[in-house]
Amino acid sequence: MHPVRLDSPPRRTRPVLALTATALALPSVLLLVLVAFRWSPLMDLDRDVARSLHGRALADPGITRVNRVLTDWVWDPWTMRLLCAVIVLLLVRRLRDWLLAGWVAATCLVGTLLQQGLKAAVDRPRPVWREPVDSAHYAAFPSGHAMTATVVCALVLWLLRRYGAGRTLWRCALTLAVVSVLGVGLTRLWLGVHWPSDVLAGWLLGALTVVVSTAAYGKWVAPNARA
């Protein structure tokens, strides 16, 4: 990875960032409203998908055990936060970029606070099964696993771009990020601890958090740091 810092996005990329943020914010708000008001068609769809996946989880305990390992260890929110902490330490110790390290840590913290705040505000019950294959605590919406993985993986990709990652490293990181973000959401659905709309909200809100954070950094923080 080449130490080439891109301190602020070119002007032509700013409308793209604004459009991306809008494209993420609108469905996020819509989904939040639909879930908060228990919109029947969405609730029915969530129940149908969850019921179908739960039946498969009961029928194939081997795959279910694999999903439990992945969700509890590999893609657990605390595993993701540990990865974020390692990245922050690398930014401080190797690159001496205290400001960026603090920004990355703050973005992860904001993502966690947003997630927990919405859980408390919406207070959506999790699926309840006669024969559960896993358990989870707190409210369901949005999925904390999905949102945390999205925030951390998106930040990793952003940092690799900022510091000029080579093509091979970038492709490997992008593949791992996509597999992790999609994979963790699917494990939560397979294990029957979330509704599909919880996972979708986690993905959307996680991506929105990083897009807004990185856009703000590029516009207001990076130019001042460079000066």
Side-chain angles (χ1 to χ4, degrees):
M1 184 167 65
H2 308 292
V4 178
R5 292 179 53 179
L6 307 175
D7 288 322
S8 60
R11 289 184 181 274
R12 65 178 179 273
T13 67
R14 288 174 184 168
V16 175
L17 289 173
L19 287 173
T20 302
T22 302
L24 292 168
L26 290 177
S28 297
V29 172
L30 176 60
L31 195 56
L32 171 61
V33 171
L34 294 179
V35 170
F37 285 94
R38 306 293 194 265
W39 190 53
S40 295
L42 178 61
M43 300 297 102
D44 292 341
L45 178 61
D46 274 347
R47 281 192 291 268
D48 290 343
V49 174
R51 190 179 299 115
S52 175
L53 288 174
H54 184 64
R56 295 183 182 185
L58 289 173
D60 201 329
I63 294 180
T64 299
R65 281 193 294 271
V66 171
N67 276 272
R68 290 191 66 174
V69 171
L70 290 173
T71 201
D72 290 341
W73 296 98
V74 180
W75 294 322
D76 182 79
W78 285 108
T79 303
M80 292 290 109
R81 291 172 190 137
L82 178 60
L83 174 59
C84 185
V86 170
I87 292 168
V88 168
L89 289 175
L90 288 174
L91 288 171
V92 170
R93 298 194 63 177
R94 296 193 60 180
L95 301 176
R96 305 297 179 188
D97 200 332
W98 289 84
L99 186 58
L100 182 56
W103 195 268
V104 169
T107 302
C108 288
L109 177 60
V110 167
T112 299
L113 293 175
L114 176 61
Q115 164 203 140
Q116 295 301 322
L118 287 174
K119 281 181 179 292
V122 177
D123 195 25
R124 187 185 194 184
R126 291 180 184 267
V128 177
W129 308 107
R130 184 175 300 175
E131 299 179 69
V133 297
D134 201 359
S135 62
H137 305 288
Y138 309 111
F141 185 93
S143 167
H145 280 69
M147 187 169 175
T148 303
T150 303
V151 168
V152 173
C153 289
L155 284 172
V156 169
L157 294 178
W158 175 63
L159 290 170
L160 289 175
R161 278 295 193 192
R162 269 185 68 80
Y163 284 96
R167 182 176 299 178
T168 301
L169 177 58
W170 169 255
R171 288 178 176 175
C172 290
L174 180 60
T175 300
L176 286 173
V178 171
V179 169
S180 296
V181 170
L182 294 180
V184 71
L186 295 176
T187 64
R188 305 308 284 167
L189 296 178
W190 183 271
L191 295 171
V193 293
H194 273 294
W195 306 106
S197 54
D198 301 336
V199 172
L200 179 57
W203 287 335
L204 289 171
L205 290 166
L208 178 61
T209 299
V210 175
V211 168
V212 171
S213 173
T214 55
Y217 184 89
K219 184 175 183 179
W220 292 304
V221 181
N224 295 330
R226 179 179 53 190

